[in-house]
Amino acid sequence: MAQQAPGVRVLVVDDQDLVREGIAALLGIQPGIVVVGSARYGAEAVELAQRCEPDVVLMDIRLPGMDGVAATALIRRQLPRCRIVMLTTFDDDEYVGRALKAGAVGYLLKNLPAAELAQAVRLAHAGVAQFDQTVLAALAAGSPAPDLLTPRETEVLRLISAGATNKEIAARLYLSEGTVKNHISRVLSRLGLRDRTQAALYARENGLV
C-alpha cells in the first residue's frame, strides 16, 4: 500500500493562549496540515523551530521579549527552507515592511476563516506570497511590497489590464497558453485576487499601466 504524503508541518506562535490553541486546533483538523508545535514567546519559537523543523511558521508580531520580527529573522537564518507567515491583528505598514525584510513570505490578519488560513499555509509552503487585502492597500499607499511578483508575472498582469486574452499574451511574450494560465494563476494567488477583472483594477490602482 502506498504511503500517504505527509502534511505541511506548521508551528503556531502567539502569546495569547486562547488564540494560539484555537488556531492550532482549527488547523489540526484541516486536510494536509500537521501542527507540530506552538510557542508563546519569540525565543521559544526559535528553539521549537530548530527542534521541530516546521515547513511553515504562523508568527504573531507582538510577543513578550523577542518580538515576531526578530524571531522570524533568526528562524530564517537557521532554517532557510522554512516559510514564515505573519498572522496578526496589526496591519500597520511599518510592521509589514519590517516583517518582509526579516524574511516573512506573507502577512495575514487573524480574521481569516480556518479553511482560508489552511489554504494560505499550503500556498506559503509552495512558495506563494500571501497578503491580506488590507495589507496590500497599505503597501500600495506607501511603497510596493518587494518580490510579490516576478518580472514576467508583472508583464502578464500589465497585459491582462490592457484586455489581452491568454492567446494574445502568449503570442506577445512567446509563451505557450498553458504557461500563461500558470502565470495568471500565480498572480491571482499572490495578490489575493479572485479574477482577471480584479487583477486589471489592481494594476491600474497601483500604477502598473
Side-chain angles (χ1 to χ4, degrees), residues 11-209:
L11 172 63
V12 179
V13 185
D14 197 293
D15 65 326
Q16 296 183 33
D17 294 343
L18 187 61
V19 173
R20 183 180 67 255
E21 292 167 6
I23 291 171
L26 287 171
L27 283 179
I29 61 174
Q30 297 296 318
I33 305 287
V34 178
V35 178
V36 296
S38 64
R40 184 179 183 185
Y41 305 101
E44 183 186 9
V46 174
E47 181 184 341
L48 268 177
Q50 288 180 294
R51 196 183 331 159
C52 301
E53 296 189 356
D55 299 310
V56 176
V57 177
L58 293 177
M59 180 80 73
D60 196 6
I61 283 276
R62 289 189 179 178
L63 298 169
M66 180 189 297
D67 70 10
V69 173
T72 293
L74 279 174
I75 293 172
R76 288 287 296 156
R77 280 201 291 270
Q78 295 166 358
L79 300 168
R81 296 179 65 182
C82 179
R83 310 285 187 176
I84 302 179
V85 176
M86 311 312 288
L87 184 64
T88 181
T89 56
F90 303 101
D91 59 2
D92 186 280
D93 55 355
E94 181 182 347
Y95 281 135
V96 180
R98 288 178 57 216
L100 293 175
K101 286 179 183 177
V105 298
Y107 198 106
L108 300 172
L109 302 183
K110 290 179 182 176
N111 56 3
L112 273 181
E116 289 185 25
L117 181 58
Q119 181 64 1
V121 166
R122 298 185 195 101
L123 289 171
H125 179 47
V128 179
Q130 297 289 293
F131 292 88
D132 185 91
Q133 286 286 359
T134 305
V135 171
L136 282 174
L139 287 168
S143 56
D147 303 326
L148 268 183
L149 300 178
T150 66
R152 177 65 83 191
E153 288 164 356
T154 301
E155 285 183 283
V156 169
L157 178 57
R158 287 193 176 113
L159 290 170
I160 289 173
S161 69
T165 65
N166 288 3
K167 185 174 182 179
E168 290 167 340
I169 294 172
R172 179 76 174 270
L173 300 180
Y174 303 101
L175 301 171
S176 70
E177 285 191 58
T179 299
V180 170
K181 287 179 182 178
N182 289 337
H183 280 311
I184 293 173
S185 178
R186 284 195 292 272
V187 167
L188 296 178
S189 292
R190 291 181 177 180
L191 297 179
L193 305 173
R194 281 198 312 272
D195 50 36
R196 296 171 74 103
T197 301
Q198 283 197 347
L201 288 172
Y202 177 92
R204 293 189 181 104
E205 289 171 358
N206 288 277
L208 294 177
V209 291

